Amino acid sequence: MGELRIEARSLSKHYGSLVAVDELSFEVGSGEVLGFLGPNGAGKSTTMKMLTGFLTPTSGTATINGHDIMTQSLAARRCMGYLPEGAPAYGEMTVRSFIEFIARARGFQGKEAKMKAAAAIERLNLSKVPEQAIETLSKGFKRRVGLAQAILHDPQVLILDEPTDGLDPNQKHEVRQLIREMSSDKIIVISTHLLEEVHALCNRAMIISDGRLLVDDTPDGLIARSRYHNAITLVVEEPERVASILSELPQARKVELREGELTVFPAPGQSLFDVISDTVRSHGWSVSELRLEAGRLDEVFRQVTKGEGKA
């Protein structure tokens, strides 16, 4: 088996004058779980539909494990499992009959098709509803049916569009655990608007907006871009007086007071935790909370996609 790889080269999709995806180029390798982030309408789903052969690019192309999505579309799709946006299915079919149908469509026959379907039903905890019509299921169960059909053939590449959409917290945990278990020898691309999903699942994150790639980094690298990275937040009595004193520290660049919380931002290259702890002790302040901020991914997301300054 050759090396697992997705390569997108100047991938673009236009709808008349609307540019949905604009010259997008990236590579993903084995063992990578890529979080595909962006605001609504950024081009995430359109990119996934082009990678999986559901949409023809206006220009550019991509390869899946060396198979060109334009000229070798069937070979490329055989490598992949795909969970589309909304997880469309035949609503009148039962869960079991639908997944067995997908197994046969994937080339499995007879007992093997039934075994593959049964294993996928078990893996996605669908054992309580196998004979239930899909149209009668909750949104969370429908999502799990979509995931079951995506993984039943143990694909080398998984393209998942909002995989935990509609799931309750327990179901999200189960699905994320499943994705983690599968990730070591696959390529997994996850489109999501849930920033905690990037932390929970991904070892790489790309942010796109207006169809263009803005950032390609690790989740930790993204958080390090936050102005809150290594800041100190305190909840303290007399916060205005405390803020005035802390703002005089040479290690502090800025102090902000918001909704009763005091946040001190470090000067470049400075560490604040020890010096603020010492200052709190020396003044005898009554502090109910003191925490070191890792950074805030939502703030980085806004900064990148809306051009908000770091202030």
Side-chain angles (χ1 to χ4, degrees):
M1 185 190 301
E3 184 185 6
L4 305 190
R5 183 159 294 278
I6 296 174
E7 293 186 33
R9 297 189 288 270
S10 300
L11 206 55
S12 298
K13 184 65 180 178
H14 300 177
Y15 297 98
S17 60
L18 173 67
V19 180
V21 176
D22 188 9
E23 298 279 328
L24 203 56
S25 296
F26 60 92
E27 296 184 10
V28 195
S30 180
E32 286 194 286
V33 182
L34 171 64
F36 211 41
L37 288 163
N40 290 336
K44 303 187 299 295
S45 292
T46 301
T47 301
M48 290 186 151
K49 287 174 183 174
M50 287 191 286
L51 290 177
T52 52
F54 280 79
L55 275 180
T56 302
T58 303
S59 60
T61 190
T63 58
I64 311 292
N65 296 351
H67 305 297
D68 190 285
I69 60 169
M70 303 280 284
T71 60
Q72 301 166 301
S73 178
L74 277 176
R77 279 184 272 177
R78 286 191 186 101
C79 303
M80 282 187 281
Y82 177 38
L83 175 67
E85 188 178 22
Y90 296 109
E92 71 279 6
M93 297 179 78
T94 67
V95 171
R96 189 187 307 280
S97 61
F98 173 69
I99 297 177
E100 286 181 359
F101 163 71
I102 296 294
R104 291 192 297 274
R106 284 287 182 185
F108 301 108
Q109 299 297 326
K111 286 184 179 179
E112 189 180 19
K114 291 182 181 297
M115 286 173 57
K116 289 286 185 184
I121 286 169
E122 179 72 24
R123 202 164 189 192
L124 268 301
N125 285 337
L126 291 164
S127 300
K128 292 180 181 177
V129 295
E131 310 310 328
Q132 198 167 321
I134 292 172
E135 63 191 2
T136 68
L137 297 176
S138 68
K139 186 177 181 181
F141 270 116
K142 287 177 180 174
R143 206 76 190 132
R144 284 194 272 172
V145 171
L147 274 163
Q149 65 78 30
I151 69 164
L152 72 84
H153 57 301
D154 193 25
Q156 299 166 329
V157 176
L158 266 174
I159 309 284
L160 306 176
D161 202 345
E162 304 282 0
T164 61
D165 184 39
L167 303 186
D168 67 33
N170 288 334
Q171 293 167 341
K172 283 183 181 178
H173 175 76
E174 290 169 4
V175 167
R176 288 171 180 172
Q177 185 62 34
L178 174 64
I179 291 170
R180 277 191 288 267
E181 288 169 2
M182 295 188 298
S183 64
S184 62
D185 60 348
K186 297 185 188 302
I187 292 172
I188 302 179
V189 179
I190 299 171
S191 166
T192 184
H193 65 279
L194 301 174
L195 298 177
E196 78 267 15
E197 197 128 272
V198 177
H199 255 322
L201 286 176
C202 302
N203 48 35
R204 181 176 163 197
M206 283 173 35
I207 299 178
I208 70 168
S209 187
D210 296 325
R212 292 190 298 274
L213 177 61
L214 302 180
V215 171
D216 185 346
D217 207 339
T218 63
D220 286 346
L222 277 183
I223 280 191
R225 296 168 184 248
S226 169
R227 71 192 187 99
Y228 287 91
H229 183 57
N230 288 337
I232 303 293
T233 295
L234 307 90
V235 179
V236 61
E237 291 181 4
E238 299 185 77
E240 290 86 357
R241 185 172 70 86
V242 171
S244 175
I245 293 170
L246 292 179
S247 66
E248 298 300 320
L249 292 173
Q251 297 90 345
R253 177 176 61 86
K254 185 179 181 181
V255 179
E256 282 184 4
L257 178 59
R258 288 186 183 177
E259 299 175 356
E261 289 194 340
L262 197 63
T263 301
V264 188
F265 298 92
Q270 296 294 322
S271 176
L272 285 172
F273 192 84
D274 288 342
V275 70
I276 287 182
S277 298
D278 291 344
T279 306
V280 167
R281 279 193 295 270
S282 67
H283 285 80
W285 292 331
S286 177
V287 175
S288 58
E289 186 176 343
L290 189 153
R291 67 177 184 269
L292 174 66
E293 298 270 6
R296 301 182 184 179
L297 199 51
D298 58 341
E299 178 240 348
V300 175
F301 184 83
R302 288 194 306 272
Q303 177 189 315
V304 168
T305 59
K306 293 186 175 181
E308 294 182 3
K310 296 188 78 167

